[in-house]
Amino acid sequence: MFVSREDGLYFNGAKYGVAYSDGFSRTDDSAEDPILTLRLFQTDHFTHRVLSWAAEQLQIDPGLLTVQNLNHELKWLRTSLGLSVLVTLSGSDQILMTRRSLNSSFAEGREWIYVSATETFTETDYDNYTHTADLMLCLKRGIQEELGITPNMYFDSTIRFYNQFFETHFYQDGIVATVELKETAGFDEVCGLRAKDKDLEVGAIFPLDN
């Protein structure tokens, strides 16, 4: 598939997989906010596609894909971690939704309805100053590369990270995140933005009431 450039397989990018995850810790203050601990390892997109194919051939029961099993016996499946980003328009109280391009990976010949942006956590998101992989960098990169949304269009304080999940069709770890655009950024403006990967990833953009 890589040789024939099928199903969005145009290049083999380095990425992070999940060796272990734990979302049961909490802060020790009165808020008791959740703490997500992730241990990552380096892998690549080719490895992920091969192991996803292997999992399909094995017909693994989705009921077995629990956090306990994914941290132990089935941890070989966790070769991809990404963000599912919901961009909200504060001026109209709407959410940006997308139809994925037929050129994108995992399209399977269909225009899937997706969240605003989906971005894989890669070595590009490594912060050389703090010496750690940074999900904030991943989110900002994702909405700029796929939608053309630049940092001046939102405040960092509106970025939130929510549930972690394991997607059982494509066998990928994911984290839900949101960011709210300033009132000056409307739907028509966002649709008109140019972005590096827009043609590759996004077939269409449409609003959904929040």
Side-chain angles (χ1 to χ4, degrees):
M1 291 172 72
F2 270 101
V3 171
S4 56
R5 298 166 69 83
E6 297 175 15
D7 199 28
L9 298 175
Y10 304 111
F11 63 95
N12 182 33
K15 61 168 65 179
Y16 291 115
V18 179
Y20 176 85
S21 65
D22 174 17
F24 297 130
S25 297
R26 298 291 183 269
T27 58
D28 59 2
D29 55 18
S30 58
E32 295 186 350
D33 288 326
I35 297 173
L36 175 63
T37 300
L38 295 172
R39 284 209 302 265
L40 307 177
F41 66 93
Q42 292 176 311
T43 182
D44 57 42
H45 193 54
F46 176 78
T47 301
H48 173 64
R49 293 302 293 259
V50 170
L51 291 180
S52 296
W53 176 86
E56 289 179 9
Q57 306 313 303
L58 292 170
Q59 297 183 337
I60 297 173
D61 180 357
L64 296 175
L65 300 175
T66 63
V67 174
Q68 177 71 14
N69 289 339
L70 288 167
N71 275 339
H72 296 93
E73 291 86 355
L74 295 177
K75 64 182 178 181
W76 58 272
L77 277 175
R78 309 180 79 176
T79 50
S80 182
L81 170 63
L83 289 180
S84 291
V85 184
L86 287 166
V87 176
T88 61
L89 303 170
S90 59
S92 58
D93 195 26
Q94 293 175 312
I95 297 171
L96 289 181
M97 300 292 288
T98 59
R99 291 187 183 274
R100 299 296 283 177
S101 168
L102 292 175
N103 300 317
S104 63
S105 291
F106 300 106
E108 299 179 346
R110 288 175 283 184
E111 285 190 328
W112 297 79
I113 292 178
Y114 264 51
V115 292
S116 313
T118 57
E119 190 58 53
T120 304
F121 202 24
T122 74
E123 292 178 337
T124 308
D125 307 310
Y126 186 83
D127 189 327
N128 288 308
Y129 181 76
T130 61
H131 301 292
T132 186
D134 191 337
L135 285 170
M136 187 78 82
L137 293 178
C138 181
L139 184 149
K140 292 182 175 184
R141 178 174 61 83
I143 61 176
Q144 184 159 351
E145 289 183 355
E146 292 190 17
L147 300 172
I149 296 172
T150 53
N152 65 304
M153 299 175 67
Y154 57 87
F155 294 111
D156 285 4
S157 59
T158 67
I159 295 174
R160 298 284 186 274
F161 295 97
Y162 294 96
N163 284 14
Q164 182 194 10
F165 61 93
F166 187 82
E167 202 282 319
T168 60
H169 182 74
F170 301 121
Y171 300 100
Q172 299 182 80
D173 277 277
I175 295 175
V176 179
T178 61
V179 58
E180 184 176 314
L181 301 189
K182 298 176 181 177
E183 290 192 7
T184 52
F187 177 74
D188 290 339
E189 179 187 354
V190 174
C191 285
L193 295 172
R194 301 183 67 180
K196 183 179 78 170
D197 294 336
K198 200 167 191 177
D199 290 341
L200 178 64
E201 303 281 359
V202 180
I205 304 172
F206 63 95
L208 184 70
D209 288 343
N210 188 1

